Amino acid sequence: LDYITAIGGSAIHCLAGKVPVDQRPAAERTYIANLMRAADMAAEKNIVILIEPINPRDRPDYFLNRPEHAADIIAKAGKSNIRIQFDFYHAQIMEGDIIRTIRENIQHIAHFHTGGNPGRNELDDTPELNWRTIAKTIADLNFQGFVAHEFVPKRDPLTSLREAALLCDV
């Protein structure tokens, strides 16, 4: 918290960690208790706690896999400064139907991450997602947070970043 405050940040991404299936009920109780404690401390500094569903193909046994699970955790924690970091790459792998998922969870989302799928590469290299339509949906929902690009470029990184920004500019 001291570091994020010193650099003028507004959010901290708190990883859920890996948990074997048989330990998930106990892990959920611990995770919620830890998030509540972190959220209380962060609220004093006007900081948002971000939780990110991550697909189990890339991170086997990762505790948090779906936006709906993240929304449930947020509801159970009952802290207004715990929000979702929605990563398109992970969400597409887990369930697709991105626009419906965004609409159903927008009230819990504070940050978006782009990333092409398959491969987490450039956005224009992604036949599965229509980035302009996604960006328009986010804008139409009056989203006030950040949409950040988190992909592994196959080409020149700065050119790829400029292209991604243009593709999502609505």
Side-chain angles (χ1 to χ4, degrees), residues 102-130:
I102 292 168
R103 285 186 178 134
E104 289 180 358
N105 293 285
I106 193 68
Q107 73 275 13
H108 301 296
I109 299 172
H111 187 86
F112 285 99
H113 271 174
T114 69
N117 191 34
R120 194 169 196 100
N121 303 115
E122 284 89 349
L123 306 190
D124 64 346
D125 202 25
T126 305
E128 293 185 21
L129 298 169
N130 184 322

Side-chain angles (χ1 to χ4, degrees), residues 62-74:
Y62 192 75
F63 177 72
L64 195 60
N65 302 127
R66 297 181 180 276
E68 295 80 8
H69 186 202
D72 182 59
I73 294 290
I74 291 168

Side-chain angles (χ1 to χ4, degrees), residues 1-32:
L1 284 173
D2 291 338
Y3 178 74
I4 195 71
T5 302
I7 64 169
S10 60
I12 297 174
H13 177 204
C14 294
L15 295 166
K18 293 182 173 188
V19 178
V21 173
D22 63 318
Q23 296 176 17
R24 287 182 178 261
E28 181 170 294
R29 289 188 298 276
T30 301
Y31 184 50
I32 291 169

